[in-house]
Amino acid sequence: MFVGGNRQCYRPFPMAAKTAFTKKELDDLRKRLLEEKEQLQVQLSTIEEATFATSQSELSGEVSFDDENADAGTFTFERERDLSIENNVRDLLRKIDRALARMDDGTFGICSRCGKPIEKARLKALPYADLCIKDAQAQTRSR
Ligand SMILES: [Zn+2]
């Protein structure tokens, strides 16, 4: 992701950045990513089961909104909330997968935008971060 005209010319993946983390630190981060991934997958299948159960009961007519309109509103709200949680979870899973792939090819901890090493503290807080603090802030602002 390099925009032409950037004359400062950072090498995309400087070798030095690899040593920002010791092998043990990388192993710890990988473990955290894998644990998080596992939890997210459990969460995702729970949401999917709930969604499936809901649509099943709708089909069989077990849920009737005629008597309790108030509940119908809550019901829709919860379903929408589930959907947005589901999207967040999928998004996170993709980020984690990318982080794990970057660990494998040795580019973990490199900002995908400027190519500089991502702050270590940031990665410890957010192991799947793929932008340095500066670029993450710039991205948030441009949204
Ligand atoms: Zn950056």
Side-chain angles (χ1 to χ4, degrees):
M1 247 190 269
F2 285 89
V3 187
N6 182 354
R7 290 285 158 201
Q8 280 178 292
C9 216
Y10 299 110
R11 280 181 299 156
F13 305 119
M15 299 301 279
K18 274 191 181 177
T19 56
F21 285 93
T22 64
K23 194 176 175 306
K24 192 186 173 304
E25 281 174 322
L26 271 180
D27 283 347
D28 284 348
L29 286 173
R30 184 192 292 268
K31 226 167 78 190
R32 277 178 56 193
L33 283 168
L34 288 171
E35 276 168 13
E36 176 127 12
K37 186 177 167 179
E38 210 169 295
Q39 280 171 13
L40 287 170
Q41 278 166 337
V42 169
Q43 208 182 332
L44 197 63
S45 60
T46 310
I47 294 171
E48 277 167 356
E49 272 167 32
T51 310
F52 181 73
T54 310
S55 54
Q56 286 299 299
S57 56
E58 264 178 357
L59 283 176
S60 62
E62 280 170 34
V63 181
S64 166
F65 298 140
D66 294 340
D67 300 325
E68 294 179 55
N69 283 317
D71 277 0
T74 316
F75 177 79
T76 309
F77 169 74
E78 278 176 4
R79 213 159 159 201
E80 274 170 17
R81 194 193 54 188
D82 276 356
L83 275 179
S84 82
I85 293 174
E86 190 180 338
N87 285 337
N88 284 340
V89 171
R90 286 186 196 282
D91 196 47
L92 266 181
L93 277 172
R94 269 195 298 270
K95 284 183 181 162
I96 288 173
D97 275 339
R98 277 205 297 266
L100 289 169
R102 286 198 305 268
M103 279 183 177
D104 289 337
D105 67 18
T107 59
F108 177 79
I110 312 293
C111 174
S112 66
R113 214 155 157 178
C114 68
K116 284 192 281 190
I118 300 172
E119 294 77 6
K120 227 169 160 176
R122 173 169 166 75
L123 282 169
K124 282 191 171 162
L126 212 69
Y128 45 79
D130 64 352
L131 292 174
C132 68
I133 291 173
K134 196 168 80 41
D135 283 318
Q137 283 171 347
Q139 197 187 50
T140 310
R141 271 198 301 270
S142 69
R143 263 178 199 163

mmCIF file of all heavy atoms in Angstrom, residues 110-119 130-136, ligand 1:
data_model
loop_
_atom_site.group_PDB
_atom_site.id
_atom_site.type_symbol
_atom_site.label_atom_id
_atom_site.label_comp_id
_atom_site.label_asym_id
_atom_site.label_seq_id
_atom_site.Cartn_x
_atom_site.Cartn_y
_atom_site.Cartn_z
ATOM 1 N N ILE A 110 4.633 -4.877 11.350
ATOM 2 C CA ILE A 110 4.975 -3.811 10.410
ATOM 3 C C ILE A 110 3.682 -3.123 9.981
ATOM 4 O O ILE A 110 2.724 -3.794 9.608
ATOM 5 C CB ILE A 110 5.656 -4.373 9.138
ATOM 6 C CG1 ILE A 110 6.773 -5.351 9.488
ATOM 7 C CG2 ILE A 110 6.166 -3.241 8.263
ATOM 8 C CD1 ILE A 110 7.948 -4.717 10.165
ATOM 9 N N CYS A 111 3.688 -1.817 10.046
ATOM 10 C CA CYS A 111 2.509 -1.068 9.640
ATOM 11 C C CYS A 111 2.243 -1.302 8.154
ATOM 12 O O CYS A 111 3.130 -1.143 7.328
ATOM 13 C CB CYS A 111 2.718 0.416 9.921
ATOM 14 S SG CYS A 111 1.387 1.446 9.305
ATOM 15 N N SER A 112 0.994 -1.686 7.831
ATOM 16 C CA SER A 112 0.702 -2.014 6.436
ATOM 17 C C SER A 112 0.556 -0.757 5.597
ATOM 18 O O SER A 112 0.359 -0.818 4.390
ATOM 19 C CB SER A 112 -0.558 -2.870 6.351
ATOM 20 O OG SER A 112 -1.672 -2.128 6.774
ATOM 21 N N ARG A 113 0.634 0.401 6.240
ATOM 22 C CA ARG A 113 0.472 1.637 5.496
ATOM 23 C C ARG A 113 1.813 2.334 5.273
ATOM 24 O O ARG A 113 2.128 2.730 4.158
ATOM 25 C CB ARG A 113 -0.461 2.556 6.263
ATOM 26 C CG ARG A 113 -1.300 3.396 5.356
ATOM 27 C CD ARG A 113 -2.547 3.781 6.071
ATOM 28 N NE ARG A 113 -3.136 4.973 5.496
ATOM 29 C CZ ARG A 113 -4.262 5.499 5.931
ATOM 30 N NH1 ARG A 113 -4.888 4.941 6.933
ATOM 31 N NH2 ARG A 113 -4.745 6.572 5.378
ATOM 32 N N CYS A 114 2.596 2.514 6.334
ATOM 33 C CA CYS A 114 3.849 3.250 6.172
ATOM 34 C C CYS A 114 5.065 2.326 6.196
ATOM 35 O O CYS A 114 6.172 2.765 5.883
ATOM 36 C CB CYS A 114 3.978 4.337 7.233
ATOM 37 S SG CYS A 114 4.183 3.703 8.897
ATOM 38 N N GLY A 115 4.869 1.056 6.555
ATOM 39 C CA GLY A 115 5.980 0.113 6.508
ATOM 40 C C GLY A 115 6.946 0.219 7.677
ATOM 41 O O GLY A 115 7.970 -0.450 7.707
ATOM 42 N N LYS A 116 6.600 1.071 8.632
ATOM 43 C CA LYS A 116 7.458 1.190 9.806
ATOM 44 C C LYS A 116 6.964 0.235 10.889
ATOM 45 O O LYS A 116 5.809 -0.183 10.864
ATOM 46 C CB LYS A 116 7.428 2.636 10.326
ATOM 47 C CG LYS A 116 8.256 3.566 9.468
ATOM 48 C CD LYS A 116 8.469 4.909 10.148
ATOM 49 C CE LYS A 116 7.238 5.786 10.020
ATOM 50 N NZ LYS A 116 7.492 7.166 10.444
ATOM 51 N N PRO A 117 7.830 -0.091 11.834
ATOM 52 C CA PRO A 117 7.380 -1.000 12.896
ATOM 53 C C PRO A 117 6.239 -0.384 13.710
ATOM 54 O O PRO A 117 6.262 0.806 14.004
ATOM 55 C CB PRO A 117 8.619 -1.169 13.780
ATOM 56 C CG PRO A 117 9.778 -0.716 12.965
ATOM 57 C CD PRO A 117 9.243 0.294 11.990
ATOM 58 N N ILE A 118 5.261 -1.198 14.035
ATOM 59 C CA ILE A 118 4.159 -0.736 14.875
ATOM 60 C C ILE A 118 4.644 -0.711 16.324
ATOM 61 O O ILE A 118 5.419 -1.579 16.742
ATOM 62 C CB ILE A 118 2.943 -1.684 14.735
ATOM 63 C CG1 ILE A 118 2.467 -1.714 13.273
ATOM 64 C CG2 ILE A 118 1.807 -1.262 15.655
ATOM 65 C CD1 ILE A 118 1.401 -2.760 12.995
ATOM 66 N N GLU A 119 4.188 0.289 17.072
ATOM 67 C CA GLU A 119 4.602 0.427 18.458
ATOM 68 C C GLU A 119 4.376 -0.888 19.217
ATOM 69 O O GLU A 119 3.299 -1.471 19.145
ATOM 70 C CB GLU A 119 3.821 1.554 19.140
ATOM 71 C CG GLU A 119 4.107 2.945 18.586
ATOM 72 C CD GLU A 119 3.411 3.208 17.241
ATOM 73 O OE1 GLU A 119 2.623 2.350 16.811
ATOM 74 O OE2 GLU A 119 3.667 4.269 16.645
ATOM 75 N N ASP A 130 -2.713 -3.810 12.499
ATOM 76 C CA ASP A 130 -1.848 -3.819 11.323
ATOM 77 C C ASP A 130 -1.468 -2.407 10.883
ATOM 78 O O ASP A 130 -0.927 -2.195 9.811
ATOM 79 C CB ASP A 130 -2.454 -4.622 10.164
ATOM 80 C CG ASP A 130 -3.743 -3.996 9.648
ATOM 81 O OD1 ASP A 130 -4.231 -3.037 10.280
ATOM 82 O OD2 ASP A 130 -4.248 -4.466 8.639
ATOM 83 N N LEU A 131 -1.783 -1.434 11.751
ATOM 84 C CA LEU A 131 -1.395 -0.050 11.478
ATOM 85 C C LEU A 131 -0.693 0.509 12.709
ATOM 86 O O LEU A 131 -1.035 0.155 13.835
ATOM 87 C CB LEU A 131 -2.618 0.808 11.174
ATOM 88 C CG LEU A 131 -3.389 0.536 9.880
ATOM 89 C CD1 LEU A 131 -4.638 1.385 9.838
ATOM 90 C CD2 LEU A 131 -2.533 0.801 8.662
ATOM 91 N N CYS A 132 0.269 1.393 12.504
ATOM 92 C CA CYS A 132 0.881 2.070 13.633
ATOM 93 C C CYS A 132 -0.128 3.079 14.186
ATOM 94 O O CYS A 132 -1.142 3.370 13.545
ATOM 95 C CB CYS A 132 2.184 2.750 13.210
ATOM 96 S SG CYS A 132 1.944 4.137 12.086
ATOM 97 N N ILE A 133 0.161 3.606 15.359
ATOM 98 C CA ILE A 133 -0.803 4.506 16.011
ATOM 99 C C ILE A 133 -1.157 5.689 15.112
ATOM 100 O O ILE A 133 -2.318 6.040 14.937
ATOM 101 C CB ILE A 133 -0.240 5.005 17.367
ATOM 102 C CG1 ILE A 133 -0.189 3.849 18.361
ATOM 103 C CG2 ILE A 133 -1.101 6.138 17.926
ATOM 104 C CD1 ILE A 133 0.510 4.172 19.668
ATOM 105 N N LYS A 134 -0.123 6.267 14.496
ATOM 106 C CA LYS A 134 -0.327 7.439 13.648
ATOM 107 C C LYS A 134 -1.285 7.120 12.485
ATOM 108 O O LYS A 134 -2.219 7.861 12.221
ATOM 109 C CB LYS A 134 1.037 7.907 13.113
ATOM 110 C CG LYS A 134 1.037 9.315 12.545
ATOM 111 C CD LYS A 134 2.465 9.782 12.327
ATOM 112 C CE LYS A 134 3.138 9.302 11.132
ATOM 113 N NZ LYS A 134 2.956 9.067 9.872
ATOM 114 N N ASP A 135 -1.049 6.014 11.820
ATOM 115 C CA ASP A 135 -1.881 5.666 10.668
ATOM 116 C C ASP A 135 -3.273 5.209 11.087
ATOM 117 O O ASP A 135 -4.248 5.445 10.382
ATOM 118 C CB ASP A 135 -1.197 4.575 9.833
ATOM 119 C CG ASP A 135 -0.079 5.165 9.001
ATOM 120 O OD1 ASP A 135 -0.275 6.243 8.430
ATOM 121 O OD2 ASP A 135 1.000 4.563 8.955
ATOM 122 N N ALA A 136 -3.367 4.559 12.228
ATOM 123 C CA ALA A 136 -4.683 4.150 12.716
ATOM 124 C C ALA A 136 -5.525 5.382 13.018
ATOM 125 O O ALA A 136 -6.714 5.432 12.714
ATOM 126 C CB ALA A 136 -4.539 3.282 13.963
HETATM 127 ZN ZN ZN B 1 2.084 3.499 9.851
#
